[in-house]
Coordinates of all heavy atoms in Angstrom, one line a residue:
E145 N -4.4 -10.4 -19.5 CA -5.4 -10.0 -20.5 C -6.5 -9.2 -19.9 O -7.2 -8.5 -20.7 CB -6.0 -11.3 -21.1 CG -6.8 -12.1 -20.1 CD -7.1 -13.5 -20.6 OE1 -6.3 -14.2 -21.2 OE2 -8.3 -13.9 -20.4
L146 N -6.7 -9.1 -18.6 CA -7.7 -8.3 -18.0 C -7.3 -6.8 -18.1 O -8.2 -5.9 -18.2 CB -8.0 -8.6 -16.6 CG -8.6 -10.0 -16.3 CD1 -8.7 -10.2 -14.8 CD2 -10.0 -10.0 -16.9
V147 N -6.1 -6.5 -18.1 CA -5.5 -5.1 -18.1 C -5.3 -4.6 -19.6 O -5.5 -3.4 -19.8 CB -4.2 -5.1 -17.4 CG1 -3.6 -3.7 -17.5 CG2 -4.5 -5.4 -15.9
E148 N -5.0 -5.5 -20.5 CA -4.7 -5.1 -21.8 C -5.8 -4.2 -22.5 O -6.9 -4.6 -22.5 CB -4.4 -6.3 -22.7 CG -3.7 -6.0 -24.0 CD -3.3 -7.2 -24.8 OE1 -3.3 -8.3 -24.2 OE2 -2.8 -7.1 -25.9
N149 N -5.3 -3.1 -23.0 CA -6.2 -2.1 -23.6 C -7.3 -1.5 -22.7 O -8.3 -1.0 -23.2 CB -6.8 -2.7 -24.9 CG -5.8 -2.9 -26.0 OD1 -4.9 -2.1 -26.2 ND2 -5.8 -4.1 -26.6
S150 N -7.1 -1.6 -21.4 CA -8.1 -1.1 -20.5 C -7.8 0.3 -20.0 O -6.7 0.7 -20.0 CB -8.2 -2.0 -19.3 OG -8.7 -3.3 -19.6
T151 N -8.8 1.0 -19.5 CA -8.7 2.2 -18.8 C -8.8 1.9 -17.3 O -9.7 1.2 -16.9 CB -9.8 3.2 -19.2 OG1 -9.6 3.5 -20.6 CG2 -9.6 4.5 -18.4
I152 N -7.8 2.3 -16.6 CA -7.6 1.9 -15.2 C -7.8 3.1 -14.3 O -7.3 4.2 -14.6 CB -6.2 1.3 -14.9 CG1 -5.9 0.2 -15.8 CG2 -6.1 0.9 -13.4 CD1 -6.7 -1.1 -15.6
L153 N -8.6 3.0 -13.2 CA -8.7 4.0 -12.2 C -8.2 3.4 -10.9 O -8.7 2.4 -10.4 CB -10.2 4.4 -12.0 CG -10.4 5.4 -10.8 CD1 -9.7 6.7 -11.0 CD2 -11.9 5.6 -10.6
I154 N -7.1 4.1 -10.3 CA -6.6 3.7 -9.0 C -7.1 4.6 -8.0 O -7.1 5.8 -8.2 CB -5.0 3.7 -9.0 CG1 -4.5 2.8 -10.1 CG2 -4.5 3.4 -7.7 CD1 -3.0 2.9 -10.3
V155 N -7.7 4.1 -6.9 CA -8.3 4.9 -5.8 C -7.5 4.6 -4.5 O -7.3 3.5 -4.2 CB -9.8 4.5 -5.7 CG1 -10.4 5.3 -4.6 CG2 -10.5 4.7 -7.0
D156 N -7.2 5.7 -3.8 CA -6.5 5.6 -2.6 C -6.8 6.8 -1.7 O -7.4 7.8 -2.2 CB -5.0 5.4 -2.7 CG -4.3 4.6 -1.6 OD1 -4.9 4.6 -0.5 OD2 -3.3 4.1 -1.8
D157 N -6.5 6.7 -0.4 CA -6.8 7.8 0.5 C -5.8 8.9 0.5 O -6.1 10.1 0.7 CB -7.1 7.3 1.9 CG -6.0 6.6 2.5 OD1 -5.0 6.1 1.8 OD2 -6.0 6.4 3.7
I158 N -4.5 8.6 0.4 CA -3.5 9.6 0.6 C -2.3 9.4 -0.3 O -1.9 8.2 -0.7 CB -3.0 9.7 2.0 CG1 -2.2 11.0 2.2 CG2 -2.2 8.5 2.5 CD1 -2.2 11.5 3.7
C159 N -1.6 10.4 -0.7 CA -0.4 10.3 -1.6 C 0.5 11.5 -1.2 O 0.1 12.6 -1.0 CB -0.9 10.5 -3.1 SG 0.5 10.6 -4.2
S160 N 1.8 11.1 -1.1 CA 2.8 12.2 -0.9 C 3.6 12.4 -2.3 O 3.1 13.2 -3.1 CB 3.7 11.8 0.2 OG 4.4 10.6 0.0
K161 N 4.6 11.7 -2.5 CA 5.3 11.9 -3.8 C 4.9 11.0 -4.9 O 5.2 11.1 -6.0 CB 6.8 11.7 -3.6 CG 7.5 12.9 -2.9 CD 9.0 12.8 -2.9 CE 9.6 14.0 -2.3 NZ 11.1 14.0 -2.4
G162 N 4.1 10.0 -4.5 CA 3.5 9.1 -5.6 C 4.3 7.9 -6.0 O 4.0 7.3 -7.0
G163 N 5.3 7.5 -5.2 CA 6.2 6.4 -5.6 C 5.4 5.1 -5.8 O 5.6 4.4 -6.7
T164 N 4.5 4.8 -4.9 CA 3.7 3.6 -5.0 C 2.9 3.6 -6.3 O 2.8 2.6 -7.0 CB 2.8 3.4 -3.8 OG1 3.6 3.3 -2.6 CG2 1.9 2.2 -3.9
F165 N 2.3 4.7 -6.6 CA 1.4 4.8 -7.8 C 2.3 4.8 -9.1 O 1.9 4.3 -10.1 CB 0.6 6.1 -7.7 CG -0.3 6.2 -6.5 CD1 -0.1 7.1 -5.6 CD2 -1.3 5.2 -6.3 CE1 -0.9 7.1 -4.4 CE2 -2.1 5.2 -5.2 CZ -1.9 6.2 -4.3
Y166 N 3.5 5.4 -9.0 CA 4.4 5.3 -10.1 C 4.7 3.9 -10.5 O 4.6 3.5 -11.7 CB 5.7 6.1 -9.8 CG 6.8 6.0 -10.8 CD1 6.8 6.8 -11.9 CD2 7.8 5.0 -10.8 CE1 7.7 6.7 -12.9 CE2 8.7 4.9 -11.7 CZ 8.7 5.8 -12.8 OH 9.7 5.6 -13.8
H167 N 5.1 3.1 -9.5 CA 5.5 1.7 -9.8 C 4.2 0.9 -10.2 O 4.3 0.0 -11.0 CB 6.2 1.1 -8.6 CG 7.6 1.7 -8.4 ND1 8.6 1.5 -9.2 CD2 8.0 2.6 -7.5 CE1 9.6 2.2 -8.9 NE2 9.3 2.9 -7.8
S168 N 3.1 1.2 -9.6 CA 1.9 0.5 -10.0 C 1.5 0.8 -11.4 O 1.2 -0.1 -12.2 CB 0.7 0.9 -9.1 OG 1.0 0.5 -7.7
A169 N 1.6 2.1 -11.8 CA 1.2 2.5 -13.1 C 2.2 1.9 -14.1 O 1.8 1.5 -15.2 CB 1.2 4.0 -13.2
K170 N 3.5 1.9 -13.8 CA 4.5 1.3 -14.7 C 4.2 -0.2 -14.9 O 4.2 -0.6 -16.1 CB 5.9 1.4 -14.0 CG 7.0 1.0 -14.9 CD 8.3 1.3 -14.3 CE 9.5 0.9 -15.2 NZ 10.8 1.1 -14.6
A171 N 3.8 -0.9 -13.9 CA 3.5 -2.4 -14.1 C 2.2 -2.5 -14.9 O 2.2 -3.4 -15.8 CB 3.3 -3.0 -12.7
L172 N 1.2 -1.7 -14.7 CA 0.0 -1.8 -15.4 C 0.2 -1.4 -16.9 O -0.3 -2.1 -17.8 CB -1.1 -0.8 -14.9 CG -1.7 -1.3 -13.5 CD1 -2.4 -0.1 -12.9 CD2 -2.6 -2.5 -13.8
K173 N 1.1 -0.4 -17.2 CA 1.4 -0.1 -18.6 C 2.2 -1.3 -19.3 O 1.9 -1.6 -20.4 CB 2.3 1.1 -18.6 CG 1.6 2.4 -18.5 CD 0.7 2.7 -19.7 CE 0.2 4.1 -19.6 NZ -0.5 4.6 -20.8
E174 N 3.0 -1.9 -18.5 CA 3.8 -3.1 -19.1 C 2.8 -4.2 -19.4 O 3.1 -5.0 -20.3 CB 4.8 -3.6 -18.1 CG 6.0 -2.6 -18.0 CD 7.0 -2.9 -16.9 OE1 6.8 -3.9 -16.2 OE2 8.0 -2.2 -16.8
L175 N 1.7 -4.3 -18.7 CA 0.6 -5.3 -18.9 C -0.3 -4.9 -20.0 O -1.2 -5.6 -20.4 CB -0.1 -5.6 -17.7 CG 0.7 -6.4 -16.6 CD1 -0.1 -6.4 -15.3 CD2 1.0 -7.8 -17.1
G176 N -0.1 -3.7 -20.6 CA -0.9 -3.2 -21.7 C -2.1 -2.2 -21.4 O -2.9 -2.0 -22.2
A177 N -2.1 -1.7 -20.2 CA -3.1 -0.7 -19.9 C -3.0 0.5 -20.9 O -2.0 1.0 -21.2 CB -3.0 -0.2 -18.4
K178 N -4.2 0.9 -21.3 CA -4.3 2.0 -22.3 C -4.1 3.4 -21.6 O -3.3 4.2 -22.0 CB -5.6 1.9 -23.0 CG -5.8 3.0 -24.1 CD -7.1 2.7 -24.9 CE -8.3 2.7 -24.0 NZ -9.6 2.7 -24.6
E179 N -4.9 3.6 -20.6 CA -4.9 4.9 -19.8 C -5.0 4.6 -18.3 O -5.8 3.6 -17.9 CB -6.0 5.8 -20.2 CG -6.0 6.3 -21.6 CD -7.2 7.2 -22.0 OE1 -8.2 7.0 -21.4 OE2 -7.0 8.0 -22.9
I180 N -4.3 5.4 -17.5 CA -4.4 5.2 -16.1 C -4.7 6.5 -15.4 O -4.1 7.5 -15.7 CB -3.1 4.6 -15.5 CG1 -2.8 3.3 -16.1 CG2 -3.2 4.5 -14.0 CD1 -1.4 2.8 -15.9
Y181 N -5.7 6.5 -14.5 CA -6.1 7.7 -13.8 C -6.0 7.4 -12.3 O -6.1 6.3 -11.9 CB -7.6 8.1 -14.1 CG -7.8 8.5 -15.5 CD1 -8.1 7.5 -16.5 CD2 -7.7 9.8 -15.9 CE1 -8.3 7.8 -17.8 CE2 -7.9 10.1 -17.3 CZ -8.2 9.2 -18.2 OH -8.4 9.5 -19.5
L182 N -5.8 8.4 -11.5 CA -5.7 8.3 -10.0 C -6.8 9.1 -9.4 O -7.0 10.3 -9.8 CB -4.4 8.7 -9.5 CG -3.1 8.0 -10.0 CD1 -1.9 8.7 -9.4 CD2 -3.2 6.6 -9.7
Y183 N -7.4 8.6 -8.4 CA -8.3 9.4 -7.5 C -7.7 9.2 -6.1 O -7.7 8.1 -5.5 CB -9.8 9.0 -7.5 CG -10.5 9.8 -6.5 CD1 -11.0 11.1 -6.9 CD2 -10.7 9.4 -5.2 CE1 -11.6 11.9 -5.9 CE2 -11.3 10.2 -4.2 CZ -11.8 11.4 -4.6 OH -12.4 12.2 -3.7
I184 N -7.2 10.4 -5.6 CA -6.6 10.4 -4.3 C -7.4 11.3 -3.4 O -7.5 12.5 -3.7 CB -5.1 10.9 -4.3 CG1 -4.3 10.1 -5.4 CG2 -4.5 10.8 -3.0 CD1 -4.2 8.7 -5.2
S185 N -8.0 10.9 -2.3 CA -8.8 11.7 -1.4 C -7.9 12.9 -0.9 O -8.4 14.0 -0.9 CB -9.3 10.9 -0.3 OG -10.2 9.9 -0.7
H186 N -6.7 12.6 -0.4 CA -5.9 13.6 0.2 C -4.5 13.6 -0.4 O -3.7 12.7 -0.1 CB -5.8 13.5 1.7 CG -7.2 13.3 2.3 ND1 -8.0 14.4 2.4 CD2 -7.8 12.2 2.8 CE1 -9.2 14.0 3.0 NE2 -9.1 12.7 3.2
C187 N -4.2 14.4 -1.3 CA -2.9 14.4 -2.1 C -2.0 15.6 -1.5 O -2.5 16.8 -1.5 CB -3.2 14.6 -3.6 SG -1.7 14.3 -4.6
E188 N -0.8 15.3 -1.1 CA 0.1 16.3 -0.7 C 0.7 17.1 -1.9 O 0.8 16.5 -3.0 CB 1.2 15.7 0.2 CG 0.7 15.0 1.4 CD 1.7 14.3 2.2 OE1 2.9 14.6 1.9 OE2 1.4 13.6 3.2
N189 N 1.1 18.3 -1.6 CA 1.8 19.1 -2.7 C 3.1 18.4 -3.2 O 3.5 18.7 -4.3 CB 2.1 20.5 -2.2 CG 0.8 21.3 -2.0 OD1 -0.2 21.2 -2.7 ND2 0.8 22.2 -1.0
T190 N 3.7 17.6 -2.3 CA 4.9 16.9 -2.7 C 4.8 16.0 -3.9 O 5.8 15.6 -4.5 CB 5.5 16.2 -1.5 OG1 4.5 15.3 -1.0 CG2 6.0 17.1 -0.4
V191 N 3.6 15.7 -4.3 CA 3.4 14.9 -5.5 C 4.0 15.5 -6.7 O 4.5 14.8 -7.6 CB 1.9 14.5 -5.7 CG1 1.1 15.8 -6.3 CG2 1.7 13.4 -6.7
L192 N 4.1 16.8 -6.7 CA 4.7 17.6 -7.8 C 6.2 17.4 -7.9 O 6.8 17.7 -8.9 CB 4.3 19.1 -7.7 CG 2.8 19.4 -7.7 CD1 2.6 20.9 -7.6 CD2 2.2 18.8 -9.0
E193 N 6.8 16.9 -6.8 CA 8.3 16.7 -6.8 C 8.6 15.2 -7.2 O 9.8 15.0 -7.4 CB 8.8 16.9 -5.3 CG 8.5 18.3 -4.8 CD 8.8 18.5 -3.3 OE1 9.4 17.6 -2.8 OE2 8.3 19.5 -2.8
G194 N 7.7 14.3 -7.2 CA 8.0 12.9 -7.5 C 8.0 12.6 -9.0 O 7.7 13.4 -9.9
D195 N 8.5 11.4 -9.3 CA 8.6 10.9 -10.7 C 7.2 10.7 -11.3 O 7.1 10.8 -12.5 CB 9.3 9.6 -10.7 CG 10.8 9.8 -10.3 OD1 11.3 10.9 -10.5 OD2 11.4 8.8 -9.9
L196 N 6.2 10.5 -10.5 CA 4.9 10.2 -11.1 C 4.4 11.3 -12.0 O 3.9 11.1 -13.1 CB 3.9 9.9 -9.9 CG 2.4 9.6 -10.4 CD1 2.3 8.3 -11.1 CD2 1.5 9.6 -9.2
I197 N 4.4 12.5 -11.5 CA 3.8 13.6 -12.2 C 4.6 14.0 -13.4 O 4.1 14.5 -14.4 CB 3.7 14.9 -11.2 CG1 2.6 15.8 -11.7 CG2 5.0 15.6 -11.0 CD1 1.2 15.4 -11.5
Q198 N 5.9 13.7 -13.4 CA 6.8 13.9 -14.6 C 6.7 12.9 -15.6 O 7.0 13.1 -16.8 CB 8.3 14.0 -14.1 CG 8.5 15.0 -13.0 CD 8.1 16.5 -13.4 OE1 8.3 16.9 -14.5 NE2 7.6 17.2 -12.4
S199 N 6.2 11.7 -15.3 CA 6.1 10.6 -16.2 C 4.9 10.7 -17.1 O 4.0 11.5 -16.8 CB 6.1 9.3 -15.5 OG 4.8 9.1 -14.9
D200 N 4.8 9.9 -18.1 CA 3.6 9.8 -19.0 C 2.8 8.6 -18.6 O 1.9 8.2 -19.4 CB 4.0 9.8 -20.4 CG 4.8 8.6 -20.8 OD1 5.3 7.9 -19.9 OD2 5.0 8.4 -22.0
L201 N 3.0 8.1 -17.4 CA 2.3 6.8 -17.0 C 0.9 7.1 -16.7 O 0.0 6.2 -16.9 CB 3.0 6.2 -15.8 CG 4.4 5.7 -16.1 CD1 5.1 5.2 -14.8 CD2 4.4 4.5 -17.1
I202 N 0.6 8.2 -16.1 CA -0.8 8.5 -15.7 C -1.3 9.7 -16.6 O -0.6 10.6 -17.0 CB -0.9 8.9 -14.2 CG1 0.0 10.1 -13.9 CG2 -0.6 7.7 -13.3 CD1 -0.6 11.0 -12.9
K203 N -2.6 9.6 -16.8 CA -3.3 10.6 -17.6 C -3.7 11.8 -16.8 O -3.5 13.0 -17.2 CB -4.5 10.0 -18.2 CG -5.1 10.7 -19.4 CD -4.5 10.3 -20.6 CE -5.3 10.8 -21.8 NZ -4.6 11.0 -23.0
R204 N -4.2 11.5 -15.5 CA -4.7 12.6 -14.7 C -4.8 12.1 -13.2 O -5.0 11.0 -13.0 CB -6.1 13.0 -15.2 CG -6.5 14.4 -14.7 CD -7.5 14.9 -15.7 NE -7.9 16.3 -15.5 CZ -7.1 17.4 -15.7 NH1 -5.9 17.3 -16.2 NH2 -7.6 18.6 -15.4
I205 N -4.6 13.1 -12.3 CA -4.9 12.8 -10.9 C -6.1 13.7 -10.5 O -6.1 14.9 -10.8 CB -3.6 13.2 -10.0 CG1 -2.4 12.4 -10.4 CG2 -4.0 13.1 -8.5 CD1 -1.1 12.9 -9.7
Y206 N -7.0 13.0 -9.8 CA -8.1 13.7 -9.2 C -8.0 13.7 -7.7 O -7.7 12.7 -7.1 CB -9.5 13.0 -9.6 CG -9.7 13.0 -11.1 CD1 -9.3 11.9 -11.9 CD2 -10.2 14.1 -11.8 CE1 -9.5 11.9 -13.2 CE2 -10.4 14.1 -13.1 CZ -10.1 13.0 -13.9 OH -10.2 12.9 -15.2
T207 N -8.1 14.9 -7.1 CA -7.9 15.0 -5.6 C -8.8 16.1 -5.1 O -9.4 16.8 -5.8 CB -6.5 15.1 -5.3 OG1 -6.3 15.0 -3.9 CG2 -5.9 16.5 -5.7
T208 N -8.8 16.2 -3.8 CA -9.5 17.3 -3.1 C -8.6 18.3 -2.6 O -7.3 18.1 -2.6 CB -10.3 16.7 -1.9 OG1 -9.4 16.3 -0.9 CG2 -11.2 15.6 -2.2
N209 N -9.1 19.4 -2.3 CA -8.3 20.5 -1.7 C -8.0 20.4 -0.2 O -7.7 21.4 0.4 CB -8.9 21.9 -2.1 CG -10.2 22.1 -1.5 OD1 -10.8 21.2 -0.9 ND2 -10.7 23.3 -1.7
S210 N -8.2 19.2 0.3 CA -8.0 19.1 1.8 C -6.5 19.3 2.2 O -6.3 19.8 3.3 CB -8.4 17.7 2.2 OG -7.6 16.7 1.6
I211 N -5.6 19.0 1.3 CA -4.2 19.2 1.5 C -3.6 19.9 0.3 O -2.7 20.8 0.5 CB -3.4 17.8 1.7 CG1 -4.0 17.1 2.9 CG2 -1.9 18.1 1.9 CD1 -3.4 15.7 3.2
F212 N -3.9 19.5 -0.9 CA -3.3 20.0 -2.1 C -3.7 21.4 -2.4 O -4.9 21.8 -2.4 CB -3.7 19.1 -3.3 CG -2.9 19.3 -4.5 CD1 -1.6 18.8 -4.7 CD2 -3.4 20.1 -5.6 CE1 -0.9 19.0 -5.8 CE2 -2.6 20.3 -6.7 CZ -1.4 19.8 -6.8
T213 N -2.7 22.3 -2.5 CA -3.0 23.7 -2.7 C -2.3 24.3 -4.0 O -2.4 25.5 -4.3 CB -2.5 24.6 -1.5 OG1 -1.1 24.4 -1.4 CG2 -3.2 24.2 -0.3
K214 N -1.6 23.5 -4.7 CA -0.9 23.9 -5.9 C -1.7 23.7 -7.2 O -2.9 23.3 -7.1 CB 0.4 23.1 -6.1 CG 1.3 23.2 -4.9 CD 2.0 24.5 -4.7 CE 2.9 24.5 -3.6 NZ 3.6 25.8 -3.4
T215 N -1.1 24.0 -8.3 CA -1.8 23.7 -9.6 C -0.8 23.0 -10.5 O 0.4 23.1 -10.4 CB -2.3 25.0 -10.3 OG1 -1.1 25.8 -10.6 CG2 -3.3 25.8 -9.5
N216 N -1.4 22.1 -11.3 CA -0.6 21.4 -12.3 C -1.6 20.9 -13.4 O -2.8 20.5 -13.0 CB 0.1 20.2 -11.7 CG 1.0 19.4 -12.6 OD1 0.5 18.6 -13.4 ND2 2.3 19.7 -12.6
E217 N -1.2 20.8 -14.6 CA -2.1 20.4 -15.7 C -2.6 19.0 -15.6 O -3.7 18.7 -16.1 CB -1.4 20.6 -17.1 CG -0.2 19.8 -17.3 CD 0.5 20.1 -18.6 OE1 0.3 21.2 -19.1 OE2 1.3 19.2 -19.0
K218 N -1.9 18.2 -14.9 CA -2.3 16.8 -14.7 C -3.2 16.6 -13.5 O -3.7 15.5 -13.3 CB -1.1 15.8 -14.5 CG -0.4 15.5 -15.8 CD 0.6 14.4 -15.6 CE 1.3 14.0 -16.9 NZ 2.3 13.0 -16.6
V219 N -3.4 17.6 -12.6 CA -4.1 17.4 -11.4 C -5.4 18.3 -11.4 O -5.4 19.5 -11.7 CB -3.3 17.9 -10.2 CG1 -4.0 17.7 -8.9 CG2 -1.9 17.2 -10.1
E220 N -6.5 17.6 -11.2 CA -7.8 18.3 -11.1 C -8.2 18.2 -9.6 O -8.3 17.1 -9.0 CB -8.9 17.6 -12.0 CG -10.2 18.4 -12.0 CD -11.1 17.9 -13.1 OE1 -10.6 17.3 -14.1 OE2 -12.3 18.1 -12.9
V221 N -8.6 19.4 -9.1 CA -8.8 19.5 -7.6 C -10.3 19.8 -7.4 O -10.9 20.7 -8.1 CB -8.0 20.6 -7.0 CG1 -8.3 20.7 -5.5 CG2 -6.5 20.3 -7.3
F222 N -10.9 19.0 -6.5 CA -12.3 19.2 -6.1 C -12.4 19.8 -4.7 O -11.5 19.5 -3.9 CB -13.1 17.9 -6.1 CG -13.1 17.3 -7.5 CD1 -12.2 16.3 -7.8 CD2 -14.1 17.6 -8.4 CE1 -12.2 15.7 -9.1 CE2 -14.1 17.1 -9.7 CZ -13.2 16.1 -10.0
D223 N -13.4 20.6 -4.4 CA -13.6 21.1 -3.0 C -13.9 20.0 -2.1 O -14.7 19.1 -2.3 CB -14.7 22.1 -3.0 CG -14.4 23.4 -3.6 OD1 -13.2 23.7 -3.7 OD2 -15.3 24.1 -4.1
Y224 N -13.2 20.0 -0.9 CA -13.4 19.0 0.2 C -14.4 19.7 1.2 O -14.1 20.8 1.6 CB -12.1 18.7 0.8 CG -12.2 17.8 2.0 CD1 -12.4 16.4 1.8 CD2 -12.1 18.2 3.3 CE1 -12.5 15.5 2.8 CE2 -12.2 17.3 4.4 CZ -12.4 16.0 4.1 OH -12.5 15.1 5.2
E225 N -15.4 19.0 1.4 CA -16.4 19.6 2.3 C -16.7 18.6 3.5 O -16.7 17.5 3.4 CB -17.7 19.8 1.6 CG -17.5 20.9 0.6 CD -18.8 21.2 -0.2 OE1 -19.9 21.0 0.4 OE2 -18.7 21.6 -1.3

């Protein structure tokens, strides 16, 4: 009941293809989460190859440009200083 109809933000330090986040988001959706966002400090370009980015489980990924150099409509990139 804590998750049902909630907006969820998952925060982590690194992501490659996003498998862990895919399965986490899937479980949260099954529990009734309304929207799921990710904040990843250092996201690899390989996230674009994984199931996470292709699914409708997450609304948006926020990351820095410390590793990520590509573009995608679901990914918002911030300058890493």
Side-chain angles (χ1 to χ4, degrees):
E145 65 190 44
L146 293 174
V147 173
E148 192 171 354
N149 293 317
S150 294
T151 299
I152 306 292
L153 173 63
I154 300 172
V155 179
D156 207 336
D157 61 341
I158 195 158
C159 174
S160 55
K161 287 191 176 182
T164 300
F165 302 116
Y166 174 85
H167 292 289
S168 297
K170 187 174 178 182
L172 288 164
K173 283 288 191 174
E174 289 171 0
L175 291 171
K178 183 173 59 172
E179 295 178 334
I180 301 170
Y181 297 87
L182 300 178
Y183 177 83
I184 309 298
S185 299
H186 310 286
C187 190
E188 298 178 10
N189 291 326
T190 53
V191 73
L192 301 178
E193 301 168 16
D195 293 334
L196 177 68
I197 203 78
Q198 305 302 324
S199 74
D200 62 348
L201 294 172
I202 56 140
K203 197 89 163 152
R204 197 151 188 79
I205 297 173
Y206 299 95
T207 192
T208 67
N209 62 353
S210 64
I211 300 175
F212 194 79
T213 60
K214 305 288 185 178
T215 60
N216 184 283
E217 62 186 19
K218 283 189 176 181
V219 182
E220 186 168 338
V221 181
F222 299 96
D223 286 334
Y224 178 76
E225 295 182 27

